[in-house]
Amino acid sequence: MTKPLPVAEPETGLHVLKELARDRSLLTAMAIMRDEVGPVFQITLPGFEPAVMVGPESNRQIMVSQSEHFRWRNPTDPVTKLLRHGLLVEDGEEHACLRAEMEPLMQKRHTLPHIPAMQAYTDRIIANWEDGSVQDMLVEMRRVALLIFMGTLLDVEFGPDMERLWQPILKTIKYISPGLWIIWPNMPRFGYKDALTQMDDYLYQIIAERRAKMTREPDFTGKYDTPDLLTHLVSLPQMTDDLIRDQILTMLIAGHDTSTALLAWSFHFLGKHPEVMAQAKAEVDAVVGQDALTEAHVQQLHYLDSFIKETLRLYPPIHVGNRLVAEDTAVSGYELKAGTRVMASIYLSHRDERYWENPEAFCPERFARGTKNPPPFTYVPFGSGKRTCIGASFAQIEAKVVLARILQQFDLEDMGRKVKPYMGATLEPHPGVFLRVKRRRNE
């Protein structure tokens, strides 16, 4: 027997409204609902009544065993209007075909050769840090992530265009961030046209330049053993410029913004936990020393690996899996009608006290080598099943390289500013992560 979705009692609703007024955090409100209603509940606001589901069983059913009952594409959402037919907002055969072409280039064996470039782009940004200055790591890591994404995955030198496109990129991210459009899907969206046009103009330009280069040089494959993503897509006869634009914009926004959030939260935890930073720095010194990072080094940075996993547990960049119910179904014993928006809360699943000891504490040792793995589907920072993030390996290798390179060269001091999670296109630290950077005096 299935049950209807539980909703909050009036007292709980009042509690949530008070917390929203005080803290202005939907994450806090959802945590209250979870605590007072249970791991499955329905938000009941005018025009916005999603089912929120928390925990491994719901995650397993939504992401894997019953995934065919759900779809990602919601024509009224700005993310669909922006990405059009990008991998992230396609379903069924269209998604499978795009993924089959793009995923191999994102696998670990194709990512490891990018380590020297990841280091070089990191060096380019940190070379501008004055000794003793205060840096906003949210901003600086966005610069690093943009250079790495464009340089490694597209073989495009983005440095000369970064400042010109900085605001259009931020505006594009804001366009798909949660807002009143959730409640009023057809509300007018003003102030975005110029930024979105600038982004399209740039993307169509680099596509045209790559097509021209490949016409002049038929054997062109880029600077790596395997073609970069842009070269590969341009080489496919079925890929029009519009379809390539959709995939590149999808990867640019989803890829660099998630890396930005992961790196920014990583520096937040390093600043707030000096003992963790000391252990991470000691490992980098022991494994890498003053050498350039190599594949062998990255494979040996075990504590840094645990640190990154714990950062992803507490602040997964994609903190909720949004789906639409394609046909009447049930998840965890609860009825879901076709057309219902379902939110699988990765954030709350990662903080579920039924499966995590002291879940609010930052503890990299949870993921240390030799420790017991968390139960399946309790830890899903990259999703699971057929929709697992294709950039998962790339993002974790990138994070290791960037963190190790900066710890190798700088001492970092937290400036004591309060940080809150902000629900933009990804879950990022607001208003930023401010650290004083002091160049290390190595003998």
Side-chain angles (χ1 to χ4, degrees), residues 413-433:
E413 178 187 350
D414 182 64
M415 299 306 295
R417 301 193 191 185
K418 189 174 181 180
V419 167
K420 290 185 177 182
Y422 169 74
M423 292 170 58
T426 58
L427 191 63
E428 64 181 41
H430 181 78
V433 178

Side-chain angles (χ1 to χ4, degrees), residues 213-225:
K213 186 174 186 64
M214 292 172 67
T215 299
R216 293 192 307 269
E217 305 173 33
D219 296 330
F220 176 79
T221 59
K223 58 189 175 185
Y224 300 102
D225 292 338

Side-chain angles (χ1 to χ4, degrees), residues 53 59 63 312-313 316 318-321 344-351 378-383:
M53 299 195 157
N59 290 337
M63 297 177 186
L312 286 167
R313 184 187 71 83
I318 303 301
H319 65 92
V320 64
S345 179
I346 296 169
Y347 176 87
L348 292 179
S349 290
H350 286 185
R351 295 167 181 252
T378 57
Y379 181 73
V380 284
F382 298 103

Side-chain angles (χ1 to χ4, degrees), residues 99-113:
R99 191 179 184 102
E101 291 293 352
M102 298 168 65
E103 186 173 28
L105 298 177
M106 306 294 296
Q107 292 172 350
K108 183 177 180 179
R109 64 190 178 94
H110 291 310
T111 298
L112 291 171

Side-chain angles (χ1 to χ4, degrees), residues 299-314:
Q299 304 279 28
Q300 295 175 60
L301 293 171
H302 303 304
Y303 183 75
L304 207 53
D305 184 71
S306 299
F307 169 84
I308 291 167
K309 285 183 168 64
E310 177 70 345
T311 301
L312 286 167
R313 184 187 71 83
L314 280 173

